[in-house]
Amino acid sequence: MLVGILFWLLAVVAVLAGAAVFIVDSMARATYALALSFVAVGLHVLLLQQNYVGLVVILMMVMEMAIMAVYMVMFMGMNPALMPMDMVHGRAAALVASIGTFGLLAAGILLVEWPARRGSPAGDLTRALGEELMGPKMLVMAVVSPVMVATIVAGVVLAAHRTRYDRMGDDLTGPPSDPQPGGVGR
């Protein structure tokens, strides 16, 4: 009973937070809403007793959204939570693409003949899944991770060569002197 209530509560949170991504008017709020939606989905997976996959989903999405927030602050040079922005671009095309994709995927689920199960499940499903996901790719992940960190650090260093004091003066009251204006003109 409690698991069922929790399942439906998390489902509502995931859907509402996913919808909030397109309703809120700043990139930071959209990022936090997306993170909340993914955490709710990860908790769903944990409720299905897929502990490894659920934790991977939660950790991966939280780190991804944290990196996105760091990039927003570093590259945009402002507090993105306070700057109103239009978070929907190409509304008609996006609506057509999303409805078309949903219809195509739903039709695929209903019309494709699903394969019959072959073999038997492993004794320890979590271990087997972890080895299948990460086992042969561990060396690649160990090499890619430092390269990604170096890329992030280099990107931040290159993007933040001018601080807000360089842009707006020592008292931060002057107009920003940016070579390219930003924002949506509001």
Side-chain angles (χ1 to χ4, degrees):
M1 176 71 176
L2 180 63
V3 173
I5 292 172
L6 196 56
F7 182 89
W8 286 107
L9 184 65
L10 287 172
V12 170
V13 169
V15 169
L16 291 179
V21 171
F22 301 100
I23 295 172
V24 297
D25 64 349
S26 78
M27 291 180 69
R29 291 185 184 113
T31 300
Y32 295 136
L34 190 58
L36 179 63
S37 178
F38 280 125
V39 167
V41 170
L43 291 174
H44 261 142
V45 176
L46 285 176
L47 281 178
L48 296 173
Q49 298 181 351
Q50 298 297 318
N51 299 339
Y52 179 77
V53 177
L55 282 177
V56 166
V57 167
I58 291 171
L59 292 175
M60 191 170 67
M61 290 304 146
V62 167
M63 287 305 296
E64 186 176 314
M65 296 305 137
I67 290 172
M68 187 185 303
V70 168
Y71 269 94
M72 276 188 294
V73 171
M74 296 304 291
F75 283 103
M76 297 172 77
M78 61 185 175
N79 186 353
L82 301 177
M83 301 299 291
M85 296 180 152
D86 188 7
M87 300 304 294
V88 180
H89 309 283
R91 184 181 303 263
L95 195 59
V96 168
S98 61
I99 291 173
T101 302
F102 176 78
L104 184 66
L105 292 175
I109 290 171
L110 297 175
L111 299 176
V112 170
E113 186 174 335
W114 292 85
R117 175 180 231 167
R118 290 179 289 177
S120 60
D124 188 358
L125 286 176
T126 302
R127 181 184 179 93
L129 182 59
E131 288 180 354
E132 186 65 32
L133 288 175
M134 297 299 292
K137 300 168 186 74
M138 187 56 77
L139 178 62
V140 175
M141 294 300 288
V143 172
V144 167
S145 297
V147 171
M148 287 179 64
V149 170
T151 303
I152 290 170
V153 171
V156 168
V157 168
L158 290 174
H161 69 283
R162 294 179 63 223
T163 66
R164 60 183 170 175
Y165 294 102
D166 295 326
R167 296 173 57 240
M168 303 171 73
D170 291 337
D171 56 357
L172 298 178
T173 57
S177 61
D178 295 326
Q180 298 242 341
V184 293
R186 286 188 265 178

